[in-house]
Amino acid sequence: KFDDGEKPLYIRLDKDWDDNRNMVFVFENGKGVKVPLSAYAVKGTRRKMTGAYFAGSPIVGIFEEYKTPFELLIVTTADRAIVLSTNLIPIKTTRTAAGSQLLLLKKGASVSSVLRDFGDKFESTKGYKKTKIPATPVLLVEKDIDKMQIKLDI
């Protein structure tokens, strides 16, 4: 049963609470966090999970990382983007941790989307790649904005 206004965002059914697995969360305010999957291990019988992630900002992306880091394309409402490796996102052991600032947002801007498998959508993401956080997002070029619209409309 869900409370009013609740909806599922991500479901994972597994009994393997391996510490080599992390949940990666990216929030609308530009922050992100990695939480070890072992933090979600159920110790008793509970009917409802609470505090699965930081509730202070709407969530934009949820991903699972297993052993090896991967890249995320983070796009803002100001048509700016960055590509970050998940190895830059610090691990926090608390599920409700607010995380670290991943990108610097202009006033009034927020994160609009986060993509994991984006390599085939762009000719080159070299200009968007960042190696430190917080990073300043780069203005998307016109051809990439068009490709983003195709991806987001599906």
Side-chain angles (χ1 to χ4, degrees), residues 59-101:
I59 199 153
V60 180
I62 303 173
F63 306 93
E64 185 176 342
E65 177 187 71
Y66 181 63
K67 291 185 181 178
T68 57
F70 54 88
E71 290 185 332
L72 292 174
L73 173 70
I74 303 173
V75 181
T76 72
T77 54
D79 289 332
R80 293 179 173 272
I82 61 170
V83 173
L84 291 176
S85 173
T86 57
N87 67 356
L88 294 175
I89 303 172
I91 294 177
K92 305 287 185 182
T93 56
T94 308
R95 295 188 318 218
T96 57
S100 299
Q101 196 70 39

Side-chain angles (χ1 to χ4, degrees), residues 13 19 37 52 66 87 90 112 132 145 152:
L13 302 172
D19 276 330
L37 195 58
Y66 181 63
N87 67 356
S112 61
K132 292 191 292 184
I145 292 173
L152 297 176

Side-chain angles (χ1 to χ4, degrees), residues 18 23 29 50-52 54 56 59 68 76 79 81 85 121 153:
D18 185 1
M23 296 305 299
N29 63 3
T50 59
F54 175 67
I59 199 153
T68 57
T76 72
D79 289 332
S85 173
K121 303 291 181 205
D153 290 341

Side-chain angles (χ1 to χ4, degrees), residues 23-140:
M23 296 305 299
V24 178
F25 300 100
V26 180
F27 302 98
E28 193 176 77
N29 63 3
K31 291 187 176 188
V33 66
K34 271 197 294 194
V35 179
L37 195 58
S38 59
Y40 294 95
V42 178
K43 309 251 185 313
T45 58
R46 61 177 138 172
R47 294 172 25 129
K48 182 177 181 179
M49 174 175 281
T50 59
Y53 56 86
F54 175 67
S57 179
I59 199 153
V60 180
I62 303 173
F63 306 93
E64 185 176 342
E65 177 187 71
Y66 181 63
K67 291 185 181 178
T68 57
F70 54 88
E71 290 185 332
L72 292 174
L73 173 70
I74 303 173
V75 181
T76 72
T77 54
D79 289 332
R80 293 179 173 272
I82 61 170
V83 173
L84 291 176
S85 173
T86 57
N87 67 356
L88 294 175
I89 303 172
I91 294 177
K92 305 287 185 182
T93 56
T94 308
R95 295 188 318 218
T96 57
S100 299
Q101 196 70 39
L102 301 180
L103 64 155
L104 302 171
L105 296 168
K106 289 190 175 221
K107 187 174 182 176
S110 62
V111 174
S112 61
S113 61
V114 183
L115 302 172
R116 179 178 180 166
D117 299 319
F118 58 87
D120 59 338
K121 303 291 181 205
F122 298 92
E123 291 174 22
S124 173
T125 58
K126 185 177 179 183
Y128 303 119
K129 287 188 180 183
K130 302 295 178 176
T131 58
K132 292 191 292 184
I133 58 170
T136 303
V138 178
L139 189 63
L140 283 164

